[in-house]
Amino acid sequence: MARKQGSHSEITGPRVRDAALRLIAQHGFAAVSMRQIAAEVGVQAGALYNYIADKQSLLFELMKSHMDELLAAYGAESLPHDPTERLDHFTRFHIRFHLPRRDQVFVSYMELRNLSADNFARIEGLRRQYENALEAILRDGIASGAFRVTDSRIATRAVIAMLTGITNWYDPAGPITQDQVEDIYKEMVRNSVAAAI
């Protein structure tokens, strides 16, 4: 069903997505109903279908939006030539992009199992584009002798998992600053690919 055209669609559509993101991050996709999302937004459950086709489409849209924003942001970065410096840059970029988006990160990683096969393939394709950026850095570092990595694909996934995991524990009100976290993780990432500190 097409999205509603009219004076409220530009307001209500984003509110539906924001409410769905919060609820799914808190309770999980399977536990959240369209009726709950509607109540959160303050509309009748049937009205949601003016803004989204169904719950599966809503989940896909949330994940795709996150990946589109990530790829666009990384694509706009000015990258250094040296592989080690590029690795450091990637580490800092990943942390800075993901920390303010905890709900998006949770939904994008934990709810993949709830996507239809076609939607899963599309999201995996976008994820692969981002992973390819890091893997290219690792391959350049291996070729130059800066990194010692047995399998660049596995190393890519391990580094991204380590960096993304920060969203599970980091507290900006805690005793360690984000800059300090970035410095610590930069060293750990370098160590994981045997790059000189």
Side-chain angles (χ1 to χ4, degrees), residues 13-131:
R15 287 180 60 214
V16 168
R17 291 186 288 278
D18 289 346
L21 180 67
R22 281 193 311 275
L23 290 170
I24 294 170
Q26 288 171 6
H27 307 291
F29 178 75
V32 174
S33 68
M34 293 293 269
R35 189 174 301 278
Q36 286 173 290
I37 296 168
E40 188 81 5
V41 177
V43 299
Q44 295 295 319
L48 288 183
Y49 297 101
N50 291 320
Y51 306 100
I52 197 74
D54 52 36
K55 196 173 153 189
Q56 172 67 207
S57 298
L58 181 55
L59 179 63
F60 171 75
E61 189 172 322
L62 292 174
M63 290 187 181
K64 185 176 183 302
S65 175
H66 175 70
M67 289 308 305
D68 286 345
E69 289 174 15
L70 174 61
L71 290 169
Y74 189 72
E77 292 286 299
S78 178
L79 304 176
H81 178 72
D82 176 74
T84 303
E85 291 179 8
R86 263 193 293 153
L87 182 63
D88 293 346
H89 187 96
F90 183 94
T91 297
R92 291 189 187 279
F93 167 83
H94 190 93
I95 293 170
R96 290 174 184 169
F97 183 87
H98 286 84
L99 272 184
R101 297 170 172 86
R102 291 172 194 260
D103 286 351
Q104 290 94 329
V105 171
F106 180 86
V107 170
S108 292
Y109 282 84
M110 299 306 294
E111 299 296 346
L112 281 168
R113 66 191 182 277
N114 286 305
L115 288 174
S116 67
D118 287 347
N119 285 342
F120 181 87
R122 292 174 67 187
I123 295 300
E124 277 297 289
L126 295 173
R127 287 163 62 101
R128 180 68 172 144
Q129 288 181 44
Y130 185 65
E131 291 170 359

